[in-house]
Amino acid sequence: MLRTVKPKNARSKRALEARAPKPVEDARTAVFVKGTHTGEVLNHAMKDLMALKRPDAVSFSKKNVVHPFEPQGTQSLEFWAQKNDASVFLVGQTSKKRPNNLTFVRMYDYRVLDVIEVGVDKFVPMSDFKTPKSTPGHKPLMHFASELFDTHPRFVQLKSMLMDFFNGEEIESICLKGLEHVISVSCAPTPPGLNTTSTTDPSTSSAAAPEALPKVHLRVFTTKLLNSGTRVPRVELVPMGPSLDLSLRRHQPPDAELMKQALKRPKLKQQDVEKGLGKKRKNMEVDEMGDLRGRLHVGKQDLNKLQTRKMKGLKEGPAEKRQRVEEDEE
C-alpha cells in the first residue's frame, strides 16, 4: 500500500495538492547525479543531455555514493525526489567492470518505480557540431526506428523511459515553427535470435544476455524549413548533437502493485468533463473517464431485398426453376 500524508495546516495542504497526481501531468523534473567516479566522457554526456532537458533539469555538482539497484541505495534518491519534486534521475558512474555507465531511474510517489542501465560506447559532444542549436524548453519530436521498441520487453522499457525523460508539458497542438529539434532513437540490425517471427516465448527474449542485444543509437537533429512551392514547407534535418551509441546493461522492472497505481486514471466529474465540449449534441455523451461516446440508430433491414453482386454462377438454372414452380403449385 502507498503511504498517505495528512496535511497539518492549510499551507501544507496546498503544497501537497500541487504535488499530487494530476490527470494532465506537469513537465517532469530530471536530476543529474554524479557517482564517485566519472570520466570525461560521462561529464560531457551528462552536460549535453542536461542541455536538452533544460529548464526542467537539476544538476548536483558534488559526487555522491548512489547504488540504484540496491535497496539501501534508493534512500538518497527518494529523499532527493521529495526535496526537488523530481520524478526522473540520471546517475553517471564509471568503473572497471562497467565503464561509462548511465543509469535512468524513474520515480512514482517519491519511490523507485523502475531502473534501466546503459553504457556509452561512443559519444560525440554537441560542441563538435558547428550547426545551430535549438531553444531550451522546446518540446522535441521523438522518433523510434525499430520494431524492437514495440515487441521486446527491454527495448519497450527503454522507449518508455526515454519518452518520460525528454517529454515536456502536455500540449494540445504545436506549431510547425515551434518544432525545433528531433530526437531519433534507432537500433543496430536485429539478430536472428531476437526476430519476432522466430521467437515464440517472450520470456526467453527478455532474459537474453545484454551482449546479444543490439546497440541503441541516439541522434539529435534540428529542423530547417525550406521553400517547397506550396503552403507546407520542405523540412530538412541538420545534425545538432549530441550523438550517443548505447548498449543495454542491467535493468530492474517495475513492481506490479506500484505500476498499477502509477497507471491508474482518476475519475472525473461529469460537469468537469463536459466543460469545453460546446453545445450538447444528440446521441453523444462523455463517460466518467473523459471518453466521447456516440450512439447510432439503424433501422431494421430486410435481407431478402439486399442487392448483391450478380454473377453468372449464381443464376437460377432450369432444374431449380422447375422445382420452385412445383413447390409454389403445391
Side-chain angles (χ1 to χ4, degrees):
M1 296 297 294
L2 299 178
R3 65 181 186 274
T4 57
V5 180
K6 294 184 178 180
K8 297 181 180 179
N9 48 43
R11 181 182 178 184
S12 59
K13 182 179 180 180
R14 290 193 298 268
L16 289 176
E17 290 178 353
R19 296 191 175 192
K22 305 178 181 61
V24 180
E25 294 184 350
D26 300 332
R28 296 176 180 267
T29 302
V31 178
F32 293 77
V33 183
K34 294 181 180 180
T36 54
H37 298 85
T38 56
E40 183 179 359
V41 174
L42 278 187
N43 290 334
H44 286 84
M46 296 181 67
K47 180 180 178 181
D48 289 352
L49 291 177
M50 187 175 62
L52 296 176
K53 184 61 180 175
R54 283 195 180 114
D56 304 315
V58 178
S59 177
F60 289 176
S61 57
K62 295 183 179 180
K63 297 182 178 181
N64 301 271
V65 181
V66 185
H67 303 285
F69 288 94
E70 298 179 3
Q72 297 81 6
T74 60
Q75 297 179 359
S76 300
L77 296 175
E78 294 175 358
F79 172 75
W80 293 332
Q82 191 168 6
K83 185 177 180 180
N84 298 276
D85 193 18
S87 57
V88 184
F89 283 85
L90 181 60
V91 182
Q93 174 76 21
T94 183
S95 62
K96 185 177 181 181
K97 186 177 181 180
R98 298 182 181 89
N100 300 330
N101 199 55
L102 287 177
T103 306
F104 292 88
V105 184
R106 183 163 43 183
M107 313 289 292
Y108 174 73
D109 194 30
Y110 309 121
R111 297 169 60 185
V112 175
L113 181 63
D114 58 343
V115 186
I116 187 169
E117 192 178 70
V118 296
V120 181
D121 298 332
K122 184 180 179 181
F123 171 71
V124 181
M126 192 183 298
S127 57
D128 290 0
F129 295 89
K130 307 302 180 182
T131 54
K133 312 303 179 185
S134 62
T135 306
H138 276 229
K139 193 178 182 70
L141 172 65
M142 301 289 295
H143 174 251
F144 294 88
S146 179
E147 70 278 0
L148 294 177
F149 291 113
D150 297 325
T151 57
H152 198 278
R154 292 292 307 276
F155 291 92
V156 171
Q157 183 186 15
L158 178 64
K159 176 183 177 180
S160 177
M161 184 72 73
L162 292 178
M163 290 186 66
D164 283 349
F165 185 83
F166 290 107
N167 191 19
E169 295 182 0
E170 294 290 337
I171 56 178
E172 297 180 357
S173 60
I174 185 171
C175 179
L176 185 59
K177 294 184 179 180
L179 184 62
E180 293 190 1
H181 63 295
V182 178
I183 300 177
S184 176
V185 185
S186 59
C187 287
T190 306
L194 295 180
N195 193 356
T196 55
T197 58
S198 60
T199 303
T200 56
D201 188 5
S203 61
T204 58
S205 60
S206 61
E211 295 80 6
L213 299 176
K215 292 185 179 181
V216 179
H217 307 288
L218 191 147
R219 304 290 186 265
V220 184
F221 304 91
T222 54
T223 58
K224 187 177 181 180
L225 305 180
L226 303 176
N227 294 329
S228 62
T230 60
R231 296 182 59 184
V232 180
R234 183 167 58 92
V235 181
E236 287 189 358
L237 299 181
V238 181
M240 183 187 78
S243 174
L244 295 95
D245 290 348
L246 308 175
S247 58
L248 296 182
R249 293 178 180 173
R250 297 181 296 175
H251 79 291
Q252 177 181 322
D255 181 68
E257 182 64 24
L258 193 60
M259 191 65 177
K260 183 179 179 181
Q261 294 289 336
L263 297 178
K264 187 177 179 180
R265 296 176 59 184
K267 291 185 178 181
L268 303 178
K269 296 181 180 179
Q270 190 73 13
Q271 56 183 0
D272 296 338
V273 170
E274 294 181 352
K275 284 182 179 178
L277 294 180
K279 186 178 179 180
K280 186 176 181 181
R281 288 168 286 182
K282 189 177 180 181
N283 297 328
M284 298 188 71
E285 60 181 4
V286 180
D287 59 5
E288 296 179 354
M289 302 305 294
D291 298 328
L292 185 63
R293 297 181 178 273
R295 181 180 299 176
L296 296 177
H297 298 275
V298 181
K300 187 176 181 181
Q301 187 177 12
D302 188 3
L303 299 180
N304 295 328
K305 298 180 181 180
L306 183 65
Q307 178 65 38
T308 58
R309 184 178 179 182
K310 296 181 180 180
M311 297 179 60
K312 188 176 181 180
L314 296 178
K315 287 184 178 180
E316 187 179 18
E320 290 86 357
K321 187 176 181 179
R322 191 183 310 110
Q323 183 179 359
R324 180 174 57 83
V325 172
E326 293 176 356
E327 292 178 355
D328 294 342
E329 292 178 354
E330 292 177 358

